[in-house]
Amino acid sequence: MKKYLALLLALCLCLSLAACGSSNNASVAENTETDASAVAENTEAGAGDAAEAAALTTINAGKLTISTSPDFPPFESTDDSGAVIGIEPELMELICQKLGLELQIDAMDFDSALMAAEQGKSDAVVSGVTVTEERKSSYDFTDSYTTITQAIVSKEGSGITMENLGDYTIGVQRGTTGHIYTEEDFGDKVVAYDTYSLVFQALNNGQIDCIVMDDAVAKAYLATNPGLEMTTTTYEPEEYAFGFHKGNPDLVKAVNDALAELKADGTLQSILDKYMSE
């Protein structure tokens, strides 16, 4: 009887182990299938990104090269290490991630940044560029991502306004819309400089009476230049966009699609808020 019970218990144990082994094997097989599916899915996504990047023509394969003038906070400036930071570099980095491209930033003065894109030395000028009818003949613009207006910066208590602007010497950055507008309106009262650092140096030294520039940038400079004030102008609001070398519609469309996604999910607005508040 005891032998019979022992045999019966041994048989039950074997059956139990067999069942557990089947269950574990099924679980391993299931996990293996799941892992394989995830790897395949990730591989397909990576291949899709690579294929999309390969389909885009840029001046340097696999890279999006932009020309910019990094003296234009909060849109672009340099940090203590010399890296270009700001609204547009951060935005372009996210766009490049979506397109599977590496971002290459070439820093120079604004006029040179415009020429680089026009001449095909960069894929695009990304430097707080206002869309104008004249510029449309030189660049293929993306959709706009923000709006600004022109402002007047002068020493506190100067009394300079749009109404009496023509009575004063006006400093501008060369090639900007502030340069274009004031030169049309006030001719030889306008003095152009290559960079805003030189324009503000001239203002602080009394070589010019005021500066006409984009309002968001003026606010950033006023934060680090005490004793200055800003007043508004009557010039029309302006749309900022990225100006691409002409004749590359697939690249412009891809950037526009990525930009639309960043607008739709709130990322663009959060970047604007982040730098504007600073």
Side-chain angles (χ1 to χ4, degrees):
M1 183 66 178
K2 288 180 180 180
K3 289 182 180 180
Y4 176 76
L5 288 174
L7 288 172
L8 183 59
L9 287 171
L11 179 60
C12 290
L13 179 61
C14 289
L15 291 174
S16 175
L17 289 173
C20 288
S22 298
S23 175
N24 288 338
N25 289 338
S27 177
V28 169
E30 184 177 340
N31 289 338
T32 301
E33 289 176 4
T34 301
D35 291 344
S37 176
V39 169
E41 191 173 319
N42 289 336
T43 301
E44 287 175 7
D49 290 342
E52 182 177 5
L56 297 173
T57 301
T58 58
I59 62 168
N60 295 305
K63 295 183 178 182
L64 183 68
T65 304
I66 63 171
S67 50
T68 190
S69 178
D71 62 342
F72 204 63
F75 296 94
E76 41 266 321
S77 59
T78 53
D79 62 15
D80 293 338
S81 69
V84 180
I85 60 171
I87 292 170
E88 293 185 317
E90 187 164 330
L91 189 54
M92 291 306 300
E93 185 64 52
L94 293 175
I95 289 172
C96 283
Q97 288 176 16
K98 288 180 177 291
L99 302 186
L101 295 171
E102 179 185 346
L103 179 61
Q104 171 68 43
I105 301 176
D106 291 345
M108 58 197 74
D109 66 72
F110 184 69
D111 213 30
S112 297
L114 289 169
M115 287 190 290
E118 184 175 1
Q119 296 170 359
K121 296 177 181 178
S122 71
D123 293 303
V125 54
V126 178
S127 196
V129 181
T130 297
V131 180
T132 67
E133 290 303 315
E134 183 179 0
R135 285 176 177 167
K136 284 180 181 178
S137 65
S138 300
Y139 312 95
D140 288 333
F141 281 100
T142 62
D143 297 333
S144 171
Y145 76 90
T146 195
T147 302
I148 61 92
T149 58
Q150 292 296 308
I152 301 166
V153 175
S154 61
K155 292 183 177 179
E156 288 180 347
S158 68
I160 301 175
T161 66
M162 192 67 189
E163 286 69 28
N164 60 17
L165 186 58
D167 297 334
Y168 297 91
T169 303
I170 306 162
V172 294
Q173 185 183 46
R174 196 181 316 277
T176 61
T177 47
H179 183 193
I180 295 168
Y181 300 157
T182 55
E183 196 166 63
E184 287 177 354
D185 292 342
F186 307 111
D188 59 6
K189 302 290 277 185
V190 179
V191 182
Y193 299 84
D194 287 335
T195 66
Y196 272 121
S197 58
L198 291 175
V199 185
F200 274 86
Q201 182 179 324
L203 178 61
N204 288 323
N205 291 342
Q207 296 167 286
I208 56 176
D209 298 310
C210 64
I211 304 168
V212 173
M213 61 190 300
D214 298 2
D215 60 349
V217 185
K219 290 174 185 176
Y221 272 95
L222 261 61
T224 57
N225 286 269
L228 302 179
E229 63 184 10
M230 184 184 84
T231 57
T232 58
T233 71
T234 55
Y235 293 120
E236 290 294 319
E238 304 171 24
E239 300 289 333
Y240 274 0
F242 309 131
F244 277 77
H245 180 68
K246 290 191 76 67
N248 198 345
D250 291 341
L251 182 57
V252 176
K253 181 183 183 303
V255 171
N256 269 336
D257 290 345
L259 182 59
E261 291 177 8
L262 294 172
K263 286 180 180 178
D265 67 14
T267 301
L268 169 59
Q269 190 59 53
S270 68
I271 293 173
L272 291 171
D273 292 343
K274 168 186 171 182
Y275 286 97
M276 294 294 189
S277 63
E278 291 175 358

